């Protein structure tokens, strides 16, 4: 075979393609994250670096390469320089025993840091890559530190399996580094844990690593995490609020399609990496990366109550709310998640109140005593839509559709629905509900909705950028709304490119 056709990939790039909640980081991504740091830090022999969620050792390895080059004038002897870097500057806490061995092999070229094949011989086998089998602290069936379910991760259920009680967030920082001051904390933390809850929903965990890193007050924190925190959600609302108001968060690089970072790994809503700078407070430099193209803008993270990820969307939203009242949006009028108190798995009855079920069931009946009309919707004309209208779409670089005739319904007075639907609008007349439907179906309105959506569920809080009109009459068009909100041709072209045509 011709030598130019030989393929010899980095083993860490191969590992990065493994689909898992604990995703391995490709070397090129680790280096892009390191590029956010002031590069003079790699010429400082006193700088200390910590990876608190070490898996492959890629961050330590790439930092070592930079330090070996950056310190050659200060420590000319190569072996002395290597010993100093590995023993005095680079530290990690592995997430499992297996990854501790993998990381030592990657960083020291030997799983035994004291062995003859280690590039820098330590007095112990661990070197500075630590791992201790840590236990969860159970309280009322949940781990006090990470929220893991005892039924899922209790000792009696995990014989021979990892318990995922990560040291860094379980008050188990190794004594050797417990009181050490780090210049940089960098890593790719685990993303989520199963909680054993309804539907076996996964509980985010990555934000706990970010919060714990901040407590240690390093000069810099650089981490790559799912972008779902942009809009809050399951356990993330407080984290989102703190991040958006943290003026030390100086850089965010956002990938709406996770495959652009982790080949072959599908993370709903994409991923981002950020830099937190202890000694600086300023507006954040936000870079959107879509299909290898980059758009960068410096702006305030907390300009709106939810984070708008796409820089190109900001001028459009600003225009809309120079004309419309930001306090009057559909967030205030869309129904709660269970508008009539009927769960998704509610079973149709033979008679009773007409009720819309999931698409494959359609219009059947609910028992009158089971229907809760405390929202006063039953006697209205209602425009109902699925709570998860984009189920299955995780790549937000592609156009998004949301609503069309095939997944929405006009429910007549006297009709209700299960939790499969939410009520987007309720009116006294059929003419009003049809006008409202045309408003929702415009690309302009669906584009405003898109700005808050980062997962399949689209509930009332996602409508915070969709204006509530004084009245709904006639048929709404994008041409009308663009004129009403002063949206120009270039902005319309962007809107048009982001939203599917009805029915697609």
């Amino acid at each position: 075979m011709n030598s130019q056709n030989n393929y010899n990939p980095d083993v860490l790039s191969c590992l990065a393609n493994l689909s898992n909640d604990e995703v391995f980081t490709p070397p090129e991504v680790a280096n892009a994250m390191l590029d956010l740091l002031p590069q003079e830090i790699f010429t400082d022999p006193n700088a200390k670096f910590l990876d608190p969620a070490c898996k492959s050792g890629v961050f330590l390895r790439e930092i070592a390469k930079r330090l070996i080059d950056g310190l050659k004038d200060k420590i000319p002897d190569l072996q002395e320089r290597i010993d100093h870097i590995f023993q005095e500057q680079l530290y990690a806490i592995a997430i499992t025993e297996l990854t501790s061995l993998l990381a030592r092999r990657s960083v020291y070229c030997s799983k035994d840091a004291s062995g003859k094949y280690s590039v820098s011989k330590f007095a112990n086998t661990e070197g500075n890559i630590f791992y201790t089998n840590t236990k969860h602290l159970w309280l009322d069936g949940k781990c006090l530190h990470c929220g893991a379910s005892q039924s899922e991760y209790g000792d009696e259920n995990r014989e021979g399996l990892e318990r995922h009680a990560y040291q860094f967030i379980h008050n188990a920082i190794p004594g050797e580094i417990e009181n050490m001051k780090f210049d940089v904390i960098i890593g790719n933390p685990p993303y989520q844990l199963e909680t054993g809850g309804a539907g076996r929903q996964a509980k985010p965990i990555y934000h706990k690593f970010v919060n714990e890193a901040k407590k240690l007050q390093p000069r810099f924190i650089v981490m790559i995490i799912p972008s779902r925190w942009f809009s809050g959600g399951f356990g993330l609302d407080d984290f989102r609020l703190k991040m958006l108001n943290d003026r030390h968060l100086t850089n965010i690089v956002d990938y709406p399609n996770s495959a652009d970072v982790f080949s072959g790994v599908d993370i709903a809503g994409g991923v981002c990496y950020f830099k937190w700078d202890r000694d600086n407070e300023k507006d954040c430099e936000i870079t959107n990366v879509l299909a290898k193209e980059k758009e960068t803008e410096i702006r305030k993270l907390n300009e709106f109550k939810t984070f708008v990820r796409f820089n190109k969307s900001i001028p459009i939203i600003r225009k809309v709310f120079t004309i419309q009242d930001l306090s009057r949006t559909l967030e205030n009028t869309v129904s709660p998640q269970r508008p009539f108190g009927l769960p998704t798995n509610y079973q149709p009855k033979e008679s009773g109140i007409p009720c819309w079920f999931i698409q494959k069931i359609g219009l059947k009946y609910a028992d009158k005593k089971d229907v809760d009309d405390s929202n006063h919707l039953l006697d209205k004309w209602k425009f109902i839509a699925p709570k998860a209208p984009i189920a299955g779409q995780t790549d937000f670089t592609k156009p998004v559709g949301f609503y069309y005739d095939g997944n929405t319904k006009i429910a007549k007075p006297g009709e209700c629905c299960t939790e499969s639907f939410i009520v987007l609008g309720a009116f006294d007349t059929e003419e009003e509900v049809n006008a409202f439907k045309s408003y929702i179906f415009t690309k302009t309105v669906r584009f405003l909705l898109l700005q808050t959506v980062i997962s399949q569920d689209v509930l009332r809080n996602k409508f915070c950028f969709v204006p509530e009109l004084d009245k709904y009459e006639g048929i709404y068009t994008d041409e009308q709304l663009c004129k009403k909100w002063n949206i120009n041709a270039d902005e319309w072209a962007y809107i048009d490119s982001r939203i599917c045509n009805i029915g697609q």
Side-chain angles (χ1 to χ4, degrees):
M1 182 180 291
N2 191 307
S3 61
Q4 69 180 5
N5 293 325
N6 287 342
Y7 178 52
N8 185 26
D10 189 314
V11 66
L12 301 187
S13 292
C14 295
L15 286 170
N17 292 336
L18 297 175
S19 180
N20 195 286
D21 290 334
E22 293 150 3
V23 182
F24 287 84
T25 311
E28 60 270 20
V29 176
N31 277 295
M33 293 167 65
L34 291 170
D35 287 343
L36 290 180
L37 296 169
Q39 296 306 291
E40 59 268 22
I41 202 166
F42 301 108
T43 65
D44 181 358
N46 297 312
K48 296 189 185 300
F49 302 80
L50 172 68
D51 179 352
C54 188
K55 295 181 283 293
S56 66
V58 64
F59 290 105
L60 297 192
R61 197 184 74 175
E62 299 307 316
I63 292 167
K65 290 179 183 177
R66 297 187 185 215
L67 289 170
I68 287 170
D69 183 63
L71 295 177
K72 60 185 177 184
D73 292 334
K74 294 178 180 176
I75 310 176
D77 181 79
L78 178 59
Q79 188 57 53
E80 182 183 349
R81 189 158 75 246
I82 289 172
D83 288 340
H84 175 81
I85 291 166
F86 286 136
Q87 297 188 28
E88 304 295 333
Q89 293 190 267
L90 303 182
Y91 301 85
I93 304 172
I95 62 170
T96 66
E97 184 177 11
L98 178 61
T99 59
S100 72
L101 298 174
L102 174 62
R104 289 182 203 122
R105 177 66 180 81
S106 172
V107 176
Y108 305 139
C109 298
S110 172
K111 66 180 182 180
D112 179 358
S114 64
K116 65 179 181 178
Y117 297 113
S118 179
V119 295
S120 180
K121 190 167 290 189
F122 286 78
N124 59 73
T125 60
E126 286 189 315
N128 287 338
I129 300 174
F130 306 100
Y131 173 74
T132 301
N133 187 11
T134 307
K135 293 184 178 295
H136 294 285
L137 178 60
W138 304 119
L139 179 66
D140 298 328
K142 301 288 183 184
C143 176
L144 190 62
H145 297 296
C146 70
S149 166
Q150 186 171 6
S151 63
E152 194 79 18
Y153 292 95
D155 291 352
E156 65 277 9
N157 300 318
R158 307 295 292 182
E159 185 66 36
L161 299 174
E162 293 292 343
R163 292 175 176 81
H164 302 287
Y166 304 112
Q167 285 182 257
F168 189 65
I169 60 172
H170 282 73
N171 288 344
I173 293 177
E176 295 90 336
I177 61 173
E178 187 175 9
N179 299 311
M180 197 173 286
K181 296 295 183 183
F182 290 98
D183 294 88
V184 177
I185 296 179
I186 186 168
N188 178 10
Y191 294 163
Q192 60 189 32
L193 286 173
E194 294 295 334
T195 64
R200 296 179 62 83
Q201 69 268 35
K203 183 180 182 66
I205 196 171
Y206 54 88
H207 60 297
K208 295 181 180 292
F209 284 82
V210 178
N211 291 338
E212 199 64 33
K214 287 183 180 181
K215 290 179 186 177
L216 297 182
Q217 284 291 300
R219 284 178 60 196
F220 303 101
I221 300 170
V222 182
M223 288 191 182
I224 185 164
I225 58 178
S227 296
R228 289 191 292 271
W229 71 267
F230 291 167
S231 60
F234 188 29
L236 293 171
D237 286 338
D238 184 58
F239 176 71
R240 177 194 53 147
L241 187 62
K242 288 178 179 176
M243 290 284 274
L244 295 186
N245 288 286
D246 191 340
R247 298 275 293 166
H248 297 281
L249 193 61
T250 60
N251 297 78
I252 295 175
V253 181
D254 175 35
Y255 291 80
N257 183 2
S258 61
D260 289 337
V261 181
F262 303 116
S263 178
V265 178
D266 187 9
I267 299 168
V271 296
C272 67
Y273 56 84
F274 67 86
K275 182 180 77 176
W276 180 90
D277 184 338
R278 182 193 65 198
D279 301 328
N280 281 291
E281 295 186 52
K282 57 183 181 179
D283 290 347
C284 188
E285 181 181 287
I286 297 162
T287 300
N288 303 136
V289 186
L290 293 92
K292 308 303 181 184
E293 293 186 7
K294 294 184 178 182
E295 295 265 353
T296 298
E297 186 174 325
I298 296 174
R299 54 187 172 96
K300 287 180 169 57
L301 288 172
N302 62 355
E303 179 176 359
F304 303 105
K305 71 175 186 178
T306 190
F307 178 65
V308 178
R309 78 187 305 180
F310 296 111
N311 292 325
K312 279 187 172 182
S313 301
I314 294 291
I316 299 172
I317 295 172
R318 287 173 181 159
K319 280 187 174 183
V320 171
F321 287 109
T322 57
I323 296 169
Q324 302 287 160
D325 182 354
L326 184 57
S327 68
R328 292 192 64 230
T329 69
L330 292 189
E331 180 182 15
N332 303 313
T333 57
V334 170
S335 76
Q337 182 171 343
R338 194 177 287 184
F340 295 98
L342 302 173
T344 300
N345 61 358
Y346 183 79
Q347 295 301 307
K349 309 303 180 189
E350 293 296 322
S351 62
I353 293 177
C355 179
W356 288 99
F357 290 78
I358 57 174
Q359 300 292 93
K360 65 181 181 181
I361 297 177
L363 186 64
K364 299 293 182 182
Y365 294 97
D367 194 314
K368 183 177 180 179
K369 71 177 188 312
D370 296 330
V371 176
D372 175 5
D373 192 31
S374 57
N375 295 306
H376 307 293
L377 299 170
L378 189 60
D379 292 332
K380 301 281 189 178
W381 286 89
K382 299 165 285 289
F383 184 60
I384 64 175
K387 71 170 186 176
I390 53 172
Q393 180 160 349
T394 56
D395 178 4
F396 284 81
T397 63
K398 297 176 180 177
V400 180
F402 294 116
Y403 306 124
Y404 52 94
D405 280 322
N407 70 353
T408 59
K409 308 286 181 187
I410 290 180
K412 298 175 183 177
E415 295 177 354
C416 64
C417 62
T418 69
E419 189 184 9
S420 297
F421 295 93
I422 57 174
V423 179
L424 301 192
F427 305 91
D428 292 328
T429 68
E430 186 176 6
E431 290 74 20
E432 287 176 292
V433 77
N434 278 310
F436 179 79
K437 172 184 173 180
S438 72
Y439 178 64
I440 294 295
F441 274 10
T442 62
K443 285 191 172 185
T444 312
V445 164
R446 288 181 289 146
F447 172 82
L448 293 172
L449 176 60
L450 173 64
Q451 304 317 306
T452 62
V453 173
I454 207 161
S455 65
Q456 67 179 18
D457 283 342
V458 181
L459 302 173
R460 68 190 307 178
N461 64 316
K462 306 303 182 188
F463 288 80
C464 63
F465 291 138
V466 180
E468 179 187 359
L469 304 186
D470 292 329
K471 57 182 178 179
Y472 298 93
E473 56 185 6
I475 299 299
Y476 292 88
T477 66
D478 284 301
E479 185 179 10
Q480 262 183 309
L481 295 180
C482 285
K483 185 176 181 180
K484 178 181 179 67
W485 294 329
N486 294 329
I487 294 168
N488 63 38
D490 288 341
E491 290 165 339
W492 164 249
Y494 177 57
I495 291 171
D496 190 38
S497 72
R498 300 293 296 121
I499 301 297
C500 294
N501 293 323
I502 292 293
Q504 287 188 326

